[in-house]
């Protein structure tokens, strides 16, 4: 069973877009949660600690749809790029919206991620001072973009 890490219960005023964080680092996961709290965003956050766990969770249907995936690339067991390949090859999951959130500045990683149709590639190093802006960007994104109806997926 996947753990809902924020907010602890559903809020009726919260737009129903879930964030699915795929991140092995507890400090980075906590930073994201705190930034959302600071901006008073109440969208639910779920977390998997590697790509294998994330694929299992998505296939089980434990993440409410619609959702946005925040993906680290450097993880144990299944890397973020391996996760993207698996995600895009699955007809039930291929439509998922993915933002990469990583430390890798490698041109190869950036190109490989965009080949798998990620919505954006964000560097964690740039988020020390601008982390709230990144979270604000995500908030703005899910407020203006039409998400598919969960019943139709």
């Amino acid at each position: 069973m996947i753990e809902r890490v924020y907010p602890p219960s559903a809020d009726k005023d919260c737009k129903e877009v879930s964030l699915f964080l795929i991140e092995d680092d507890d400090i980075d996961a906590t930073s994201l949660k705190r930034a959302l709290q600071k901006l008073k965003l109440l969208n639910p956050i779920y977390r998997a600690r590697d790509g294998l766990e994330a694929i299992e969770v998505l296939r089980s249907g434990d993440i409410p749809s619609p959702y946005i995936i925040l993906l680290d690339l450097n993880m144990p067991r299944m890397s973020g790029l391996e996760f993207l390949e698996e995600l895009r090859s699955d007809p039930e999951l291929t439509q998922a919206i993915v933002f990469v959130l990583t430390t890798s500045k490698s041109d190869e990683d950036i190109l490989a991620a965009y080949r798998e149709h990620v919505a954006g590639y964000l560097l964690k190093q740039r988020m020390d001072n601008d982390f709230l802006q990144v979270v604000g960007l995500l908030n703005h994104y899910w407020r203006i973009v039409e998400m598919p109806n969960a019943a139709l997926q």
Side-chain angles (χ1 to χ4, degrees), residues 35-133:
L36 286 166
Q37 288 171 329
K38 189 170 187 171
L39 290 174
K40 299 186 184 339
L41 302 180
L42 299 176
N43 296 70
I45 304 172
Y46 298 86
R47 179 181 175 201
R49 286 173 170 73
D50 62 51
L52 278 178
E53 181 183 359
I55 287 291
E56 290 171 12
V57 166
L58 289 169
R59 287 183 174 148
S60 73
D62 286 342
I63 301 293
S65 187
Y67 52 82
I68 296 173
I69 296 172
L70 301 177
L71 176 66
D72 185 20
L73 291 187
N74 302 311
M75 296 181 293
R77 297 198 315 154
M78 178 187 273
S79 74
L81 292 174
E82 292 168 331
F83 167 83
L84 279 169
E85 289 174 18
E86 184 73 18
L87 183 79
R88 297 304 185 212
S89 69
D90 186 323
E92 299 293 319
L93 303 175
T94 192
Q95 81 289 348
I97 298 166
V98 180
F99 285 88
V100 171
L101 189 58
T102 187
T103 57
S104 175
K105 295 180 184 179
S106 160
D107 287 339
E108 291 173 6
D109 286 345
I110 294 168
L111 286 171
Y114 278 111
R115 278 190 203 108
E116 298 297 340
H117 310 289
V118 297
Y121 193 100
L122 307 166
L123 294 174
K124 289 180 185 178
Q125 298 93 313
R126 292 190 182 154
M127 293 192 323
D128 288 344
N129 299 324
D130 301 328
F131 196 73
L132 289 176
Q133 287 183 333

Side-chain angles (χ1 to χ4, degrees), residues 6-17:
Y6 178 82
S9 62
D11 185 310
K12 292 177 182 157
D13 295 328
C14 177
K15 185 171 181 182
E16 288 300 315
V17 176

